[in-house]
Amino acid sequence: MTDDRSRVAFITGGARGIGRTFADALVADGHRVVLADASVPDAEIAAAELGADRALAAYCDVADEDSVRAAVDATVDRFGGIDILINNAGRHLMSWSRPVTDVTTEAWRDILDVNVLGIVNCARACRPHLRAAGDGAILSVSSVSGFTSTDVYGVTKLAVRGLTVALAKAFADDGIRVNCLAPGPMDTAAALADLPDELLTEFIENKQLIRRQGRTADLVGAMRFFCSPESSFVTGETLIVGGGFPLRV
Ligand SMILES: NC(=O)c1ccc[n+]([C@@H]2O[C@H](COP(=O)([O-])OP(=O)(O)OC[C@H]3O[C@@H](n4cnc5c(N)ncnc54)[C@H](O)[C@@H]3O)[C@@H](O)[C@H]2O)c1
């Protein structure tokens, strides 16, 4: 980052996977992080590893407004404010890679509550603190599936791109920038355990230019850019970090 200010980042789903990689990088850069996660044991382990002076574990189910508000209040009590919101928590396993009429209405509501409304809940609760920061930043995690959007998961990730534009417009006068990352398949434990090998190979061979699976570390440079003053003239954008997906010329 271009200045030395230590910032506070509220990271949903920060206990594991991509969110944890972001937490590690931000702490290494001298910032403080809140691991706002539905899994308290995982968040507490991560916070202990990162150090109590730098990391706070907070129970947060992004689909539940009350728990989001409580996690935001705990953050402000502990660290004095919030400079960065990273909307990373999401449902993403293969069970959601299904045609849109093949899941029940109840299941649709469940994934929409987490992947879409969860971002609205967090943005709403963090807004006054991001405004007070003066140069607040929101970064949401979509997916390359948000560009093809042929299944339930992809539709929710397309909505994350739409929310990025809508929130960028709604929060512009508060000095809050809102951007989005769209990763290709990454090496998180959850994704590795769930994604069939043949699907992953097909994706890498036929949809990417860089023929390997993405690593969560591949996302860190873009995350740092969008969360820092380096990108102070950028808002409402989605950046694909997907090894050249979808073979654009
Ligand atoms: N892993 C990939 O290949 C990949 C690719 C593209 C996009 N993404 C997106 O990146 C994000 C993170 O993926 P990941 O693979 O790191 O996930 P993960 O499953 O490894 O970790 C997700 C974390 O979020 C927490 N969580 C789950 N539901 C929650 C909720 N309702 N509220 C708060 N916390 C919750 C979990 O406890 C966990 O700690 C997701 O939004 C996913 O859609 C992942």
Side-chain angles (χ1 to χ4, degrees), residues 1-7 29-31:
M1 302 205 182
T2 50
D3 61 7
D4 293 334
R5 189 154 70 83
S6 173
R7 291 178 163 76
D29 290 345
H31 304 295

Side-chain angles (χ1 to χ4, degrees), residues 13 16 18 37-38 60-62 88 92 142 153 157 183-184 186 188:
R16 285 194 301 244
I18 293 169
D37 205 289
C60 173
D61 174 357
V62 295
N88 162 77
H92 70 97
S142 175
Y153 174 70
K157 290 300 182 179
M186 291 285 135
T188 66

Side-chain angles (χ1 to χ4, degrees), residues 12-19 36-39 42 60-63 87-93 114-115 141-144 153 157 182-191 195 213 216:
T12 70
R16 285 194 301 244
I18 293 169
D37 205 289
S39 170
D42 287 334
C60 173
D61 174 357
V62 295
N87 290 307
N88 162 77
R91 299 222 189 288
H92 70 97
L93 300 182
V114 175
N115 288 14
V141 182
S142 175
S143 165
V144 291
Y153 174 70
K157 290 300 182 179
M186 291 285 135
D187 62 349
T188 66
L195 197 61
Q213 180 165 26
T216 59

Side-chain angles (χ1 to χ4, degrees), residues 96-100 145-155:
W96 302 104
S97 297
R98 295 168 55 190
V100 293
S145 302
F147 287 80
T148 47
S149 304
T150 51
D151 58 16
V152 172
Y153 174 70
V155 170

